[in-house]
Amino acid sequence: MQTQQSPAPDIARLAVPIALIFFMWGFGTGALWVARPLFALALGGTLLQVGLISSLSAMPRLISGPIAGLLSDRWGRRPMLILGAVGHGLILVGQFATTNYVHYALLEALAGITIAIWTISSSVLIADLTKIANRGRTVAFRDTAMRMGMLAGPLVGGFIAAQFELRWVFIFIASTKVVAIFVVLFLIPETKPARAPREPDRRPGEARVSRGGIPWAIFGTRSFIAVAAATICFGMIGLGPGIFRTYYPIHAQETLMLSPDVIGNLVAMGGVLTMLAAAPTGFAVDRFGRKWPLAFGLVLLGASVYLLGASTAFIGIAVAFAVFAIAEGMNTNTNQTYAMDLAPTEQRGVFLSAFHMATSTGMMIGPLVAGLLAGRLGLESTLFIFVGVAGGCALLFVVLAQETLRREPAQGPATTRSGS
């Protein structure tokens, strides 16, 4: 099917503003990873309540994600990017002022809505600007910029927490959103494809061409089921407020008595490895394919959780985060590249919002289930259970997933794919 599409902006000319908005978002996110669990604990939360905070951040994304994808397809990418950044910045200011766990939890739930709006809209932006042949490298470039921010964020967040008070980290994170808003306003163009003209009246017996609807059939393919399962697993363990980041600071603080600034330094060093893993992974998936790097990344993710649960010394904690960082760099790139490959051009927002729903599902149930199990079995046994989950998801992906690298359309950018 032919679609009428506005000329795609030159991604090379947009490299600096794209790098800047993702750097600033990562800058705040890295600091938030340190502040979120420790602030919940400081407000009197138990291990279960700390896990609940992380789940509350992910839960609303199941609702806001599809809406954000639909509105991104209808209104454009830029309005949704700005809405997500403005909303999250205002909520962070509210979290700075709160002294009550319940209030903090409610604000974290609202924050999940705005994060979903930003995440989905920014992913669609990258998909608009790329083709299958260069998508892995572009996603790697995006990830590298974000990881540079994530590298600096924990250092700054840990310093602020140590020198002032933990709640001031939220003001710092809010300031990073302001920069991202101005870059989107003045330097990022709209990339939403133009709608194709209405088709003429059909002749008797001619099939109707679906335009602008939700491509339900594509959600039932083996490839989508495979990437959804892998993404849920990655969300449970490694993305955002997954169990590794939720319980890593607590395990380091309670087992080794490490201070927030030392924990922040460990997270930052892991961020270096994640950043270094992004670019080679991007080139590899564009050269050799998406499937096997993603499966291997899930195996490494399980290994990192095992090492965390078995660690009783500083070196063990450090190695666990190093393995996790490499696994995160591999999974983030290949997961999103694979999903972008499957997304049909005219419904990228809707399709990628479904992909992010899988992410949010994992981030919601992972910390909550881990918190429930940790209260009964202990944190170490709980982490070992999730090692098995990661291994099972890797096996499922190997069995079900099909390689997408070979699906570059020969007709050029005007051709849309119907999915796999």
Side-chain angles (χ1 to χ4, degrees):
M1 180 180 71
Q2 299 295 317
T3 62
Q4 183 177 6
Q5 190 166 352
S6 301
D10 183 0
I11 194 169
R13 291 191 292 106
L14 294 175
V16 173
I18 287 174
L20 187 54
I21 62 170
F22 284 105
F23 172 84
M24 295 309 299
W25 195 267
F27 200 19
T29 299
L32 186 60
W33 286 340
V34 175
R36 179 191 282 125
L38 295 180
F39 193 65
L41 203 64
L43 292 176
T46 62
L47 284 178
L48 174 59
Q49 289 173 320
V50 171
L52 179 61
I53 284 288
S54 295
S55 295
L56 284 172
S57 175
M59 189 181 304
R61 305 181 198 187
L62 295 175
I63 300 174
S64 63
I67 296 174
L70 181 62
L71 294 179
S72 179
D73 284 340
R74 291 186 178 180
W75 294 352
R77 315 332 186 187
R78 293 175 74 249
M80 302 306 292
L81 285 168
I82 294 170
L83 178 62
V86 170
H88 195 205
L90 293 175
I91 290 168
L92 287 162
V93 174
Q95 289 177 320
F96 160 78
T98 189
T99 57
N100 181 278
Y101 173 86
V102 174
H103 294 165
Y104 177 59
L106 291 174
L107 288 170
E108 195 63 31
L110 292 176
I113 296 175
T114 59
I115 292 171
I117 293 172
W118 168 275
T119 301
I120 291 168
S121 301
S122 62
S123 294
V124 177
L125 174 73
I126 296 299
D128 287 344
L129 293 170
T130 57
K131 299 185 296 184
I132 291 179
N134 69 351
R135 185 162 289 145
R137 284 166 287 174
T138 305
V139 172
F141 172 75
R142 186 273 313 267
D143 287 349
T144 300
M146 183 176 287
R147 298 301 169 187
M148 289 178 68
M150 291 177 180
L151 172 64
L155 290 172
V156 176
F159 174 81
I160 292 173
Q163 298 299 318
F164 302 98
E165 190 180 353
L166 189 59
R167 67 179 61 252
W168 282 98
V169 177
F170 295 109
I171 295 297
F172 159 69
I173 301 169
S175 70
T176 65
K177 312 306 176 190
V178 175
V179 178
I181 291 166
F182 277 96
V183 174
V184 173
L185 277 172
F186 297 108
L187 297 177
I188 300 295
E190 182 55 63
T191 62
K192 183 174 77 73
R195 286 190 177 275
R198 295 178 63 86
E199 61 177 316
D201 293 339
R202 294 178 295 120
R203 293 187 295 272
E206 185 178 0
R208 180 184 298 274
V209 179
S210 174
R211 298 185 186 279
I214 298 176
W216 296 110
I218 209 170
F219 300 135
T221 65
R222 294 177 60 185
S223 292
F224 180 79
I225 293 171
V227 74
T231 303
I232 289 173
C233 179
F234 189 29
M236 283 194 298
I237 299 173
L239 277 178
I243 65 168
F244 194 98
R245 283 199 176 85
T246 296
Y247 292 106
Y248 182 89
I250 293 173
H251 188 56
Q253 181 173 269
E254 305 242 331
T255 302
L256 301 177
M257 304 301 174
L258 300 182
S259 62
D261 56 329
V262 174
I263 295 172
N265 289 338
L266 284 172
V267 174
M269 287 186 288
V272 173
L273 292 177
T274 301
M275 182 178 64
L276 293 176
T281 301
F283 280 95
V285 299
D286 278 347
R287 180 72 181 272
F288 303 110
R290 319 339 188 171
K291 181 175 179 177
W292 292 105
L294 199 157
F296 183 62
L298 288 173
V299 172
L300 282 182
L301 189 68
S304 71
V305 177
Y306 173 81
L307 290 170
L308 177 62
S311 297
T312 57
F314 180 85
I315 185 64
I317 290 284
V319 171
F321 204 94
V323 175
F324 170 78
I326 296 172
E328 184 184 26
M330 295 185 66
N331 278 285
T332 300
N333 184 297
T334 51
N335 233 15
Q336 296 196 23
T337 301
Y338 192 86
M340 289 177 187
D341 288 349
L342 297 178
T345 302
E346 288 188 321
Q347 297 95 8
R348 277 193 178 124
V350 172
F351 184 87
L352 291 177
S353 70
F355 166 74
H356 284 286
M357 280 183 65
T359 303
S360 300
T361 298
M363 290 192 294
M364 178 184 68
I365 65 177
L368 185 58
V369 171
L372 290 170
L373 292 176
R376 293 177 176 271
L377 305 177
L379 184 56
E380 181 179 342
S381 297
T382 298
L383 292 174
F384 291 155
I385 290 173
F386 279 91
V387 174
V389 172
C393 289
L395 179 61
L396 183 66
F397 188 82
V398 168
V399 172
L400 293 182
Q402 296 178 354
E403 182 56 63
T404 60
L405 181 61
R406 294 187 296 271
R407 296 179 183 173
E408 178 73 357
Q411 294 91 336
T415 301
T416 183
R417 299 182 309 279
S418 60
S420 62

